[in-house]
């Protein structure tokens, strides 16, 4: 076997294909005709200044049109003509007339037009090699393709171009196009029955290599950073199918199909696309296998998809293959990402990175730090240690200014501050991330951290009673992140806020419906809210069953466990059982173990409520309440602030009445009433503030509690006018906003 024959034996390379991927098409010839007529018109203007109205605006529009035609795939002639006469890309009238005249003479001139075009392109390249770089490159590619074509291919191209033009003319005539009135005479004069080949030739493709690569890179970047600007899923899949038809062995198009399927939660097609991506990548040939880094990343993505399905065995198998391939190719970034997922599947915490860190491993290392922060927070690590690790992460991110790592770091800081009860600091971190501007880079970052910051802002605004602002922010999140997986966050936030608002307003059916809709998304949160609803309805048996199921679940977070124990303590208190203090003590221990300062303050609030309402020891209740008063008033939501103010005012008034010595009380207790009236007058602004907060939250039943308390207090003091005033305000609020009676006097 000769050397030449041995070089042709390459049957083991499946990527080699006889089909031409880049060949001349009628659309590309039409673009060359446009360039040719533009250069003739430009030369005429420079020499004879005719036409006089050809100015910079016409040149700018043609340059934009040319960029669009070069980058976009081939289009039918009617669409091309629509661009030529559009307001944005419209040609100068002389330019358009000359182009249409040239297209009209295709039949009369015959195949000689292609040979003349060959010489014309050669002349254009020589004349404009230094001034028209992008177009010169395009013309050189067309010139090379024309040079390599044989006579039969030239004839096929000519016939295809005729069919392409006549089909477009026929469609434009049916649409009543006025600017091509001479097309009718062309069709009548030439009684030519066109062959019906494809518009783009039998050996050609609609998408060229460069066009498909540019399109895939643009859409992939938009899906990662700004999904709203990306093509809709159905339209994007149509473009992907066109590229697959033209380039069936191009692996990256299957990965784009995988991303498109994931965002609409079409997991079956996502897995199929990922398998196709895996197969096309693995078919790169044995000689190039060691340099093909897409192979191990396909295994990594397959492992991630199996992990999302919950297929741990398949995910571990894909990860082992990914690690083996990454070690063979020396890809440390892929290796670190694979180990991070391996730690997550095994349930272990990833180790901290080394001090002497390679800059190429920054992305993987930052993700490992974030994973460690989440697992450490749930394990009860010291907050100071976690924030010191987070500072290391911020320092690493600042070295390369990678926006996705910066956003994830700030979102993680927001989550940590929320867990530890510093809600104002969490809101501040979210605002810092949302106010970050990339307009100088002409980019909009829409990563996962942005969506989490928006959802945190929505929940915070709703808890403060600013429902209108929360709805506006939530709508912004919906418009900005319409697809899965980012949409999961704002859907949970929407149902959570809606259920809380329904609970505040005493609409049990609506609250239960929202909880059931939240259940598939966040089971633990839905069950907690459902227990809240049943307790507010005074359905103690159902509430006790839900609370028992939640406490039996060992996977719930520490915050959820503390809140569940608080609900359990309220059930015990309403049933008159002394176990309520034991349950509160257990909740306090959990809060201290996991450093949940705000939850511990809420536990102190419930201690004070039980001491005042069931044991009638206002002094002890006041001392207990002051332990968490600053925390709640500084960082708490409006509901916690309102009931804290209400409880503090009650404790202060009762303590003042009980603190009067027996010698000063008098026979009829006049001195005690006077002290109580003085304290009530002092605490009245605080009580009015509590009423305002309750009404802002639309929690009218709690506002009625305050009205009832004030009316009874003034009645006991013998102040009839004040009593009647608050009784009247209670009556007006009841008429305007009726609420279920069973919600009264339940401290939740």
């Amino acid at each position: 076997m000769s050397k030449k024959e041995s070089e042709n034996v390459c049957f083991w390379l499946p990527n080699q294909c006889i089909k031409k991927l880049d060949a001349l098409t009628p659309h590309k010839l039409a673009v060359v005709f446009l360039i040719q007529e533009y250069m003739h018109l430009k030369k005429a203007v420079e020499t004879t200044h005719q036409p006089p109205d050809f100015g910079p605006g016409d040149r700018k529009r043609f340059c934009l049109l040319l960029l669009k035609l070069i980058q976009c795939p081939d289009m039918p002639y009617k669409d091309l003509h629509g661009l030529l006469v559009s307001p944005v890309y419209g040609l100068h009238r002389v330019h358009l007339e000359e182009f249409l005249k040239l297209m009209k003479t295709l039949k009369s001139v015959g195949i000689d037009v292609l040979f003349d075009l060959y010489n014309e392109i050669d002349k254009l390249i020589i004349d404009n090699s230094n001034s028209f770089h992008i177009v010169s490159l395009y013309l050189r590619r067309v010139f090379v393709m024309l040079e390599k074509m044989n006579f039969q291919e030239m004839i096929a191209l000519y016939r295809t171009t005729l069919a392409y033009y006549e089909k477009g003319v026929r469609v434009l005539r049916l649409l009543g196009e006025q600017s091509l009135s001479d097309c009718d005479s062309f069709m009548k004069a030439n009684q030519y029955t066109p062959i019906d080949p494809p518009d783009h030739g039998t050996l050609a493709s609609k998408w060229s290599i460069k066009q498909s690569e540019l399109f895939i890179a643009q859409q992939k970047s938009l899906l990662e950073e700004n999904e709203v600007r990306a093509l809709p899923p159905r339209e994007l899949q149509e473009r992907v199918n066109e590229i697959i038809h033209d380039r069936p062995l191009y692996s990256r198009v299957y990965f784009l199909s995988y991303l498109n399927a994931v965002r609409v939660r079409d997991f079956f097609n996502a897995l199929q696309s990922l398998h196709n991506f895996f197969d096309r990548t693995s078919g790169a040939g044995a000689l190039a296998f060691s340099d093909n880094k897409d192979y191990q990343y396909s295994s990594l993505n397959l492992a991630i998809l199996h992990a999302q399905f919950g297929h741990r065995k398949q995910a571990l198998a894909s990860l082992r293959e990914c690690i083996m391939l990454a070690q063979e190719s020396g890809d440390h970034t892929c290796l670190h990402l694979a180990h991070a997922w391996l730690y997550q599947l095994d349930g272990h915490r990833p180790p901290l990175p080394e001090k002497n860190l390679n800059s190429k491993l920054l992305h993987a290392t930052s993700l490992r730090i974030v994973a460690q922060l989440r697992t450490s927070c749930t394990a009860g690590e010291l907050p100071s240690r976690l924030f010191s690790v987070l500072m290391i992460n911020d320092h690493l991110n600042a070295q390369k200014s990678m926006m996705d790592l910066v956003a994830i770091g700030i979102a993680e800081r927001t989550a940590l501050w929320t867990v530890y009860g510093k809600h104002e600091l969490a809101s501040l971190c979210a605002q810092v991330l949302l106010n970050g501007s990339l307009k100088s880079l002409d980019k909009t970052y829409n990563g996962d951290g942005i969506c989490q910051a928006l959802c945190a802002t929505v929940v915070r605004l709703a808890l403060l009673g600013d429902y209108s602002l929360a709805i506006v922010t939530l709508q912004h999140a919906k418009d900005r992140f319409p697809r899965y997986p980012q949409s999961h966050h704002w859907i949970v936030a929407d149902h959570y806020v809606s259920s809380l608002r329904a609970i505040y307003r005493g609409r049990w059916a609506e609250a239960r419906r929202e909880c059931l809709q939240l259940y598939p998304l966040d089971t633990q949160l839905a069950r907690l809210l459902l227990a809240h609803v049943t307790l507010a309805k005074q359905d103690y048996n159902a509430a006790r069953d839900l609370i028992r199921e939640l406490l039996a679940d060992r996977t719930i977070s520490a915050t959820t466990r503390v809140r569940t124990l608080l609900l359990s303590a309220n059930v015990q208190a309403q049933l008159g059982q002394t176990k309520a203090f034991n349950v509160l003590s257990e909740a306090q221990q959990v809060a201290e173990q996991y450093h949940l300062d705000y939850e511990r303050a809420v536990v102190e609030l419930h201690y004070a409520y039980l001491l005042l309402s069931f044991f009638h020891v206002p002094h002890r209740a006041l001392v207990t309440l002051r332990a968490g008063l600053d925390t709640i008033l500084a960082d708490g939501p409006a509901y916690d602030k309102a009931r804290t103010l209400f409880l503090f005012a009650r404790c202060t008034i009762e303590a003042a009445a009980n603190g009067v010595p027996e010698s000063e009380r008098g026979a009829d207790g006049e001195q005690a009433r006077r002290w109580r009236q003085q304290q009530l007058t002092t605490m009245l602004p605080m009580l009015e503030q509590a009423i305002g907060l309750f009404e802002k939250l639309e929690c009218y039943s709690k506002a009625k509690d305050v009205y009832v308390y004030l009316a009874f207090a003034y009645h006991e003091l013998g102040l009839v006018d004040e009593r009647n005033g608050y009784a009247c305000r209670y009556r007006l609020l009841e008429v305007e906003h009726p609420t279920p009676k069973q919600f009264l006097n339940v401290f939740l």
Side-chain angles (χ1 to χ4, degrees):
M1 182 183 295
S2 65
K3 181 178 180 182
K4 184 175 181 180
E5 291 175 343
S6 63
E7 290 176 353
N8 292 330
V9 179
C10 51
F11 51 86
W12 60 82
L13 299 179
N15 264 359
Q16 293 201 356
C17 184
I18 300 176
K19 180 182 177 181
K20 293 183 179 180
L21 292 179
D22 264 354
L24 274 180
T25 61
H27 174 80
K28 293 182 175 65
L29 286 182
V31 175
V32 175
F33 291 151
L34 283 172
I35 298 174
Q36 173 185 333
E37 296 304 323
Y38 173 78
M39 299 306 298
H40 292 168
L41 179 61
K42 181 181 177 183
K43 186 175 181 180
V45 171
E46 292 175 352
T47 56
T48 63
H49 302 286
Q50 294 295 330
D53 56 343
F54 184 80
D58 300 298
R59 298 184 181 184
K60 179 181 179 181
R61 283 196 301 272
F62 179 71
C63 290
L64 294 176
L65 171 65
L66 196 57
L67 182 63
K68 183 178 182 64
L69 294 178
I70 291 176
Q71 292 183 349
C72 295
D74 294 359
M75 60 182 67
Y77 182 77
K78 69 177 184 64
D79 296 337
L80 175 62
H81 181 269
L83 284 177
L84 301 183
V85 297
S86 64
V88 180
Y89 301 104
L91 300 179
H92 187 269
R93 54 179 179 80
V94 178
H95 190 186
L96 182 61
E97 291 172 0
E98 294 297 326
F99 171 73
L100 296 178
K101 187 184 301 182
L102 178 60
M103 296 297 293
K104 179 181 176 181
T105 57
L106 284 176
K107 173 63 177 176
S108 59
V109 175
I111 197 173
D112 290 339
V113 70
L114 296 183
F115 297 104
D116 295 338
L117 181 64
Y118 179 83
N119 298 325
E120 187 68 26
I121 293 176
D122 190 14
K123 183 179 178 182
L124 290 175
I125 293 174
I126 295 174
D127 294 342
N128 302 279
S129 58
N130 296 325
S131 60
F132 219 53
H133 302 288
I134 299 177
V135 178
S136 295
L137 180 60
Y138 184 78
L139 292 175
R140 288 176 187 274
R141 294 179 60 192
V142 175
F143 181 80
V144 171
M145 286 185 284
L146 279 174
E147 190 176 27
K148 290 184 177 181
M149 292 176 68
N150 54 35
F151 186 72
Q152 289 79 7
E153 291 175 342
M154 295 284 280
I155 293 178
L157 178 61
Y158 171 70
R159 291 181 177 179
T160 307
T161 305
L162 280 181
Y164 170 80
Y165 175 65
E166 291 177 359
K167 182 179 178 180
V169 168
R170 190 180 301 111
V171 174
L172 290 174
R173 184 180 59 181
L174 293 177
L175 295 176
E177 187 67 30
Q178 300 297 327
S179 61
L180 280 183
S181 58
D182 58 338
C183 293
D184 294 333
S185 59
F186 171 80
M187 297 296 294
K188 293 178 182 178
N190 300 279
Q191 299 298 329
Y192 168 69
T193 304
I195 317 174
D196 213 10
D199 283 349
H200 310 290
T202 56
L203 298 178
S205 59
K206 182 176 180 180
W207 289 82
S208 66
I209 297 177
K210 296 299 182 181
Q211 288 173 346
S212 58
E213 291 177 351
L214 176 63
F215 176 80
I216 292 172
Q218 288 176 341
Q219 293 300 316
K220 180 178 177 294
S221 177
L222 289 176
L223 288 178
E224 292 176 350
E225 298 179 356
N226 192 0
E227 186 183 348
V228 179
R229 295 181 57 189
L231 290 178
R234 178 173 297 182
E235 184 178 353
L236 179 58
Q237 191 61 40
E238 292 176 356
R239 301 292 182 271
V240 167
N241 293 336
E242 292 174 357
I243 299 176
I244 291 175
H245 179 269
D246 293 339
R247 305 185 62 194
L249 296 180
Y250 185 40
S251 61
R252 293 183 183 272
V253 67
Y254 295 100
F255 187 76
L256 181 61
S257 177
Y258 158 73
L259 294 178
N260 190 43
V262 166
R263 68 169 174 161
V264 295
R265 306 190 69 177
D266 187 0
F267 291 112
F268 177 78
N269 286 328
L271 187 60
Q272 184 179 7
S273 299
L274 198 55
H275 283 162
N276 289 328
F277 170 62
F278 186 87
D279 296 338
R280 270 64 177 183
T281 303
S282 62
L287 297 178
F289 176 78
S290 60
D291 296 329
N292 192 356
K293 293 187 177 181
D294 287 343
Y295 191 82
Q296 59 260 24
Y297 282 102
S298 62
S299 300
L300 178 61
N301 281 279
L302 187 61
I304 294 173
L305 191 62
H306 279 303
Q308 291 180 350
F309 284 147
H311 304 160
R312 183 175 181 274
K313 184 177 180 181
Q314 292 84 346
L316 289 175
S318 299
L319 279 178
R320 282 194 294 269
E321 183 176 6
C322 175
I323 292 173
M324 178 186 66
L325 296 173
Q327 288 175 343
E328 290 181 358
S329 61
D331 191 348
H332 297 285
T333 302
C334 183
L335 191 62
H336 278 68
L337 290 173
H339 277 101
W341 275 98
L342 188 62
Y343 276 113
Q344 182 173 354
L345 290 175
D346 291 339
H348 301 304
R349 285 180 287 170
L352 280 174
E354 301 177 358
K355 292 184 179 180
N356 299 326
L357 185 66
N358 190 351
S359 60
K360 296 182 180 180
L361 307 180
L362 175 62
H363 198 280
T365 304
S366 180
L367 294 179
R368 290 175 63 186
I369 291 176
V370 171
Q372 187 205 29
L373 287 174
R374 295 178 181 178
T375 55
S376 300
C377 179
T378 56
E381 293 285 347
L382 285 174
S384 58
R385 184 175 182 274
L386 297 185
F387 281 104
S388 64
V389 174
L390 192 57
M391 288 181 62
I392 298 175
N393 186 44
D394 293 340
H395 177 68
L396 294 174
N397 297 339
Q399 290 180 352
K400 296 295 181 180
S401 300
M402 300 181 69
M403 187 59 192
D404 56 341
L405 300 181
V406 173
I408 292 174
I410 298 178
E412 194 67 23
R413 187 182 294 273
T414 303
L416 287 177
W417 283 127
T418 303
V419 169
Y420 295 125
K422 306 300 181 182
H423 300 290
E424 289 298 327
L425 288 175
S427 179
L428 179 61
C429 291
Q431 293 298 322
V432 168
L433 180 56
L434 295 177
N435 289 326
S437 177
L438 295 178
K439 292 182 179 179
S440 59
L441 303 177
D442 195 21
K443 292 177 60 179
T444 301
Y445 179 74
N446 271 10
D448 194 54
I450 300 292
C451 186
Q452 293 177 358
L454 282 172
C455 293
T457 304
V458 168
V459 174
R460 182 61 178 168
L461 290 173
L463 292 179
L464 293 178
D466 298 323
Y467 293 121
S468 58
L469 296 177
I471 291 174
V472 171
T473 308
L474 182 62
Q475 186 61 43
H476 176 71
K478 291 180 180 180
D479 297 337
R480 198 165 175 178
F481 302 94
R483 304 292 179 187
Y484 180 84
Q486 285 84 3
S487 61
H488 175 84
H489 303 300
W490 59 258
I491 293 175
V492 171
D494 186 11
H495 290 306
Y496 176 66
V497 169
S498 300
S499 59
L500 273 184
R501 190 177 184 184
I503 291 173
Y504 291 158
R505 301 171 77 177
R507 299 181 178 179
W508 315 126
E510 181 181 349
R512 181 179 177 81
R513 183 172 63 252
E514 294 292 338
C515 292
L516 294 178
Q517 293 177 357
L518 180 61
Y519 189 85
L521 304 171
D522 193 333
T523 304
Q524 297 177 1
L525 181 59
R527 291 162 66 183
L528 180 65
L529 292 173
L530 196 57
H532 197 153
V533 173
T534 54
L535 178 57
K537 292 173 60 178
Q538 297 185 359
D539 188 359
Y540 300 126
N541 292 328
R544 189 161 42 193
D545 293 339
L546 288 170
I547 291 171
R548 188 183 299 112
E549 292 177 2
L550 268 175
L551 294 178
D553 188 0
R554 296 183 178 274
T555 62
I556 63 174
S557 62
T559 305
T560 305
R561 182 171 294 276
V562 172
R563 294 175 181 176
T564 306
L565 290 172
L566 290 177
L567 294 179
S568 178
N570 277 279
V571 172
Q572 303 292 340
Q574 295 301 321
L575 295 178
Q577 299 179 2
T578 58
K579 295 181 180 179
F581 283 95
N582 296 333
V583 176
L584 287 179
S585 177
E586 182 181 355
Q588 190 174 26
Q589 291 177 1
V590 174
E592 291 177 353
Q593 178 183 356
Y594 290 92
H595 313 286
L596 307 177
D597 293 341
Y598 185 79
E599 305 302 327
R600 183 170 53 189
V602 176
V603 172
E604 299 290 346
L605 178 64
H606 282 76
Y607 264 125
Y609 171 73
L610 294 181
L611 289 173
L612 177 66
S613 300
F614 295 94
F615 291 91
H616 307 289
V617 283
H619 288 284
R620 292 284 303 277
L622 190 60
V623 172
T624 305
L625 180 60
R626 283 175 176 170
L629 186 64
D630 295 338
T631 302
I632 295 177
L633 294 182
D635 295 300
Y639 187 79
D640 289 347
K641 290 181 181 179
R643 61 179 182 173
T644 302
L645 293 174
F646 182 31
L647 184 60
F648 181 78
R650 287 179 58 186
C651 292
T652 304
I653 294 171
E654 297 299 327
N658 296 338
V660 180
E662 292 291 340
S663 58
E664 299 182 6
R665 287 179 178 270
D668 53 355
E670 182 66 26
Q671 184 65 24
R673 284 196 298 272
R674 190 180 306 112
W675 279 39
R676 185 177 183 184
Q677 179 180 353
Q678 182 180 357
Q679 288 297 330
L680 182 60
T681 304
T682 305
M683 292 292 122
L684 190 58
M686 187 177 295
L687 293 171
E688 290 288 348
Q689 184 180 357
I691 292 173
L693 290 174
F694 282 134
E695 291 183 349
K696 183 179 180 181
L697 289 171
E698 301 176 357
C699 187
Y700 302 110
S701 58
K702 291 297 182 180
K704 294 173 187 177
D705 281 351
V706 185
Y707 287 143
V708 170
Y709 172 78
L710 288 173
F712 274 102
Y714 280 116
H715 176 73
E716 293 175 358
L717 294 174
L719 302 176
V720 180
D721 294 337
E722 287 80 357
R723 179 201 65 185
N724 293 341
Y726 283 104
C728 180
R729 292 175 63 179
Y730 171 85
R731 181 61 180 171
L732 292 175
L733 188 60
E734 175 65 24
V735 171
E736 186 176 359
H737 301 285
T739 54
K741 296 297 188 295
Q742 67 264 31
F743 194 51
L744 295 176
N745 299 323
V746 178
F747 191 78
L748 295 176

